[in-house]
Amino acid sequence: MAARSRRAAPPLFKTIVLSSRATLHRNLPGALFPERLAPEDMKRLRDKVCDAAMAQPGVLGREAVLLKSGDAMFDMRAAEMAAVGALTPAFAEHGPGTALLLDNAGAAIVVNDEDHATVTSHGPQGLDEHVKRVRAVAKSLEKRLPFARHPDYGYLSANPDNIGAGLRLYVSFCFFGLFLNKEIDAVLRGIERIGLAVYPLYASSEKEEGPLEAPGCCYVVASTQTMGPESHILSGMLRVCHELEMAEANARLRLVESRPGVLIDFLARSVAVGCFAAQMGESEGLDIIHAVLFGLDMGAFSLPPEGVSAAHDLTLGMTHAGLRRLVDLPEPEKPAAASALPVGAPDAEAAAYEPFRAARAYLLRQFSTLLLPQCAEKFGYRAVVEEMQTGEARRPRKKRMEDPA
């Protein structure tokens, strides 16, 4: 009798794994890679890929949106994708020969990034779902557009790291528990030792003084192996990600059991800064909104479902690209080079972002003030005294030494 399949238990915490992404890298035969293409040839290749994708309804669906460089929403959508690592710096360098084909479910085809066509799927779903999605999109596209493939090495790519299956996997984590327990450095070194890449989720777009190394303590763990069967690449990545999720969950439980004061101090400080700051840099804003989500997940705060949803939406609103979309601020002009400014002149680049920092602080202030009464009730003087008394009661008393007389 066949064993009945068991449904996976829901995760204990909802803010450990933030999202995941799968990409397939493909190139057309007989064409130079994008970095070597002349501008006119790049445009012709872009149109060829876009026409093939739009002519095949099964590729991204009938509601797919095509944005070419120069279109109204192109720069904003490209900036949003670049902010979370879905585009490489080469995409901006290739200028008018680039394009984005987007559906409404997180899938996209990026044209003329480091490869001719990069099929990507991104969102809160599991890695296996994203892999199925990019496989289906690439298979449909390949019916109208053949891809360059070597009989021994597999699919060819401008990046040697993508040769083979061309499949790259990415999972975003929030490691606040490991950070507050001072275990984050050992875990990051361990990830690199087993051959995976790890780097901050958010790339800062604004000039800041002392930006955080990883805003929101959010990291991306990325696969590096592309040779071999896709099933092996996926299974190995899933195994490592499960172990990382368990390590962070255990770190959060240890915080509650052994170091509640550290947890309370971190959450209370985050809400206080969010309530009263008049200027908020990009990395600090991301740090605070992720701290709020962390507090909600730990049960320290409570909000109605629409409030929790708004907090998740605000993570994008703290990025430079997302903030531009929310409050319709124009992109600041690039200031003159620092060498051209007189000695002692104010930093024009930093000043250009002041409207963004003020708008970011305003948005976060409106949200954080909802949590301030909960902080006063749960983390206020009475709660701290009760915690100290409880800790004193648990602490074993030393036997008093008698006077030698």
Side-chain angles (χ1 to χ4, degrees), residues 342-367:
V343 177
D347 190 334
E349 185 175 357
Y353 288 107
E354 283 191 6
F356 290 85
R357 291 196 292 269
R360 186 179 291 111
Y362 173 80
L363 290 174
L364 201 54
R365 190 160 59 246
Q366 301 305 306
F367 187 84

Side-chain angles (χ1 to χ4, degrees), residues 43-89:
K43 288 182 181 179
R44 281 193 290 269
L45 188 142
R46 175 200 64 189
D47 294 340
K48 185 177 181 179
V49 174
C50 293
D51 291 345
M54 298 301 287
Q56 184 77 10
V59 175
L60 286 175
R62 297 185 181 278
E63 297 182 1
V65 176
L66 169 60
L67 297 175
K68 295 182 180 181
S69 178
D71 290 348
M73 293 293 294
F74 177 84
D75 289 341
M76 189 170 293
R77 294 304 300 269
E80 290 174 0
M81 294 178 69
V84 293
L87 298 177
T88 72

